[in-house]
Amino acid sequence: MSRLIMRRGPQPGRTFDLNADIITIGSGSKNSIVILDNDVSREHCKLIRVMADYELQDLNSTRGTFVSGQRVRTSWVLKPGAFIELGENVTLEYERSAASEELSQVSDEPPVHAYSDRPPDGANPFLVMTVGPKPGNVIALKTPEIRIGRDLTNDITIQDPEISRFHAVLRWSNNAYYLEDLGSTNGTMLNGKVQNANKPTILHTNDLIQVATVVEMCFTWQPDDVKIDSANKLTRPDPRRTTRETTQIAVDTSESNPFAAKARRQTTKLGTGLKPGSLEDHVFIAYARSEWESIVVPLSVSLQDANQQIWVDQYLVQGGDDWMIAVEQALAECWLLLIVVSPEALDSRYVRLAYRYFRNREKPIIPFLYANTESLPPELSQLKTVRYDPKNREQSFRELLAEIRSLKS
């Protein structure tokens, strides 16, 4: 839970727990936090929840709102340790306890034996063998646990004396795969670094897994990026080029998929390299990750072909530092929220946070009804919706585009 601590003012040392989506501060009795001081306006400022922190907005106060000496003109996303000054007499320190990290769904050190669920259907990652008995072999990872070793009971069997009977394992946990060496004789390496036995390490796109000295495999969500050239030599992406730096819409690349060629051309910079203000013309798309390929990819391509700028978090690891920073910027700057509504999406804490944040800031929201739900949350039930027709997808996208344009005009 986040909190404010009064460091200077009428009640030094007093703490205010922050547990609501919107918190108002002022001298008026109707505020969430009431501070009786001549420098504090009746309605001085307010806090709006964003990810694990809060965004501070001044409410045209007489004496002003400042963060670390800088006046807040529009809005300011608070970070732990920030000092908020209300006029000249009141100083509040913003503090976030470890409990606020509940939004983080992925960590580099998962709880022991906390392996559950499974990769979403239609959006599973792959291993591509780059060195070994079958270079170019593509292995889809669809189960919560994939064991690698010489024994025939393993999911990936490699018959080589350097490989231990039970060499390594990949386990799915908190929306990511983790690599763990099982105390093998000749070791397991990740991007050239020897892995400690029985210590899981999270995998990122284009990571290279080396099993002993005889097998190397590339972990990827886009196996077509790893190819064998005309000289029969394997080419693979640079392991340092991760999806924290770039993201590319990935879809079925078969000829039967009319969106494949378009999707391969679409590349959008994401992550921490974005300049302030670079997402102000973008549409924030919130959705269930398991529905990425079935609806979000063709929807994204359709909007981009109509010259709409979009933002998605697909290839950022949810809960990671890059994800937190990027989502905070997207929430603050994107002008419109488009929710791909389904039961799974509405169960997502991340999706709920997004639409509550947009609602609290009075920014437009469009629910795109992709899958039937019993009812919409109160925050969405009064909004104009666009319904998806699986028999006429293009018409559904045109209706959605018309609604976006009407809101922007």
Side-chain angles (χ1 to χ4, degrees), residues 327-393:
V327 172
E328 285 180 352
Q329 180 174 348
L331 287 172
E333 294 183 1
C334 291
W335 73 275
L336 169 69
L337 174 65
L338 171 59
I339 307 173
V340 180
V341 177
S342 69
E344 186 174 350
L346 295 181
D347 283 341
S348 167
R349 180 183 179 88
Y350 160 59
V351 173
R352 293 198 302 272
L353 183 147
Y355 67 67
R356 287 171 181 170
Y357 178 83
F358 269 73
R359 177 177 176 271
N360 292 338
R361 294 197 70 190
E362 299 180 349
K363 295 203 291 186
I365 303 171
I366 300 178
F368 185 53
L369 306 182
Y370 171 60
N372 291 329
T373 59
E374 293 184 2
S375 61
L376 289 175
E379 297 95 333
L380 305 179
S381 60
Q382 302 302 316
L383 299 177
K384 183 176 180 180
T385 61
V386 178
R387 185 172 293 277
Y388 174 71
D389 182 359
K391 296 181 180 179
N392 196 340
R393 180 164 65 181

Side-chain angles (χ1 to χ4, degrees), residues 119-124 250-251 285-300 312 314 339-348 351 368-373 388 393 397:
D121 292 336
N124 51 276
V251 295
I285 303 181
Y287 54 95
R289 286 203 170 191
S290 62
E291 293 161 350
W292 167 248
E293 290 195 2
S294 61
I295 182 63
V296 183
V297 165
L299 170 62
S300 300
V312 296
Q314 181 66 22
I339 307 173
V340 180
V341 177
S342 69
E344 186 174 350
L346 295 181
D347 283 341
S348 167
V351 173
F368 185 53
L369 306 182
Y370 171 60
N372 291 329
T373 59
Y388 174 71
R393 180 164 65 181
F397 291 166

Side-chain angles (χ1 to χ4, degrees), residues 86-322:
L86 310 181
E88 296 182 356
N89 297 333
V90 177
T91 300
L92 304 169
E93 182 180 1
Y94 174 72
E95 184 179 274
R96 185 182 71 206
S97 64
S100 292
E101 299 299 340
E102 62 186 6
L103 284 171
S104 297
Q105 301 175 24
V106 176
S107 67
D108 284 345
E109 300 295 337
V112 177
H113 305 307
Y115 305 109
S116 60
D117 302 322
R118 58 189 301 145
D121 292 336
N124 51 276
F126 302 81
L127 288 178
V128 179
M129 186 172 290
T130 57
V131 176
K134 296 181 180 179
N137 187 36
V138 178
I139 305 164
L141 308 180
K142 297 182 178 181
T143 57
E145 186 174 278
I146 296 97
R147 290 186 170 267
I148 303 170
R150 195 175 71 248
D151 193 278
L152 294 177
T153 61
N154 287 286
D155 302 284
I156 300 176
T157 303
I158 305 171
Q159 293 289 297
D160 190 284
E162 280 198 29
I163 307 296
S164 298
R165 290 183 62 241
F166 303 101
H167 198 105
V169 63
L170 274 64
R171 291 192 175 100
W172 179 261
S173 174
N174 298 326
N175 299 319
Y177 268 110
Y178 291 79
L179 172 67
E180 181 179 347
D181 181 84
L182 297 176
S184 63
T185 302
N186 293 304
T188 306
M189 299 176 69
L190 180 63
N191 297 326
K193 182 179 179 181
V194 176
Q195 300 300 290
N196 295 327
N198 304 312
K199 186 175 181 180
T201 303
I202 192 170
L203 291 174
H204 299 293
T205 296
N206 297 336
D207 276 352
L208 296 180
I209 302 169
Q210 186 174 337
V211 185
T213 63
V214 294
V215 173
E216 185 183 81
M217 294 178 285
C218 179
F219 177 83
T220 178
W221 290 81
Q222 300 181 61
D224 287 347
D225 283 355
V226 185
K227 299 179 182 297
I228 296 178
D229 62 21
S230 57
N232 204 34
K233 292 182 179 180
L234 198 73
T235 60
R236 58 180 181 269
D238 184 342
R240 293 168 296 182
R241 173 189 169 274
T242 69
T243 52
R244 296 184 181 191
E245 299 167 331
T246 61
T247 182
Q248 182 173 340
I249 294 175
V251 295
D252 172 18
T253 56
S254 65
E255 293 298 324
S256 62
N257 187 344
F259 295 92
K262 295 179 182 178
R264 285 196 296 269
R265 295 196 300 267
Q266 307 296 337
T267 302
T268 305
K269 285 283 185 181
L270 290 181
T272 58
L274 290 170
K275 295 181 179 179
S278 61
L279 297 179
E280 289 179 354
D281 292 329
H282 285 59
V283 175
F284 188 123
I285 303 181
Y287 54 95
R289 286 203 170 191
S290 62
E291 293 161 350
W292 167 248
E293 290 195 2
S294 61
I295 182 63
V296 183
V297 165
L299 170 62
S300 300
V301 170
S302 179
L303 292 178
Q304 288 179 320
D305 284 350
N307 298 318
Q308 297 295 318
Q309 300 290 328
I310 66 168
W311 189 90
V312 296
D313 78 322
Q314 181 66 22
Y315 291 111
L316 294 168
V317 178
Q318 286 192 348
D321 290 342
D322 290 349

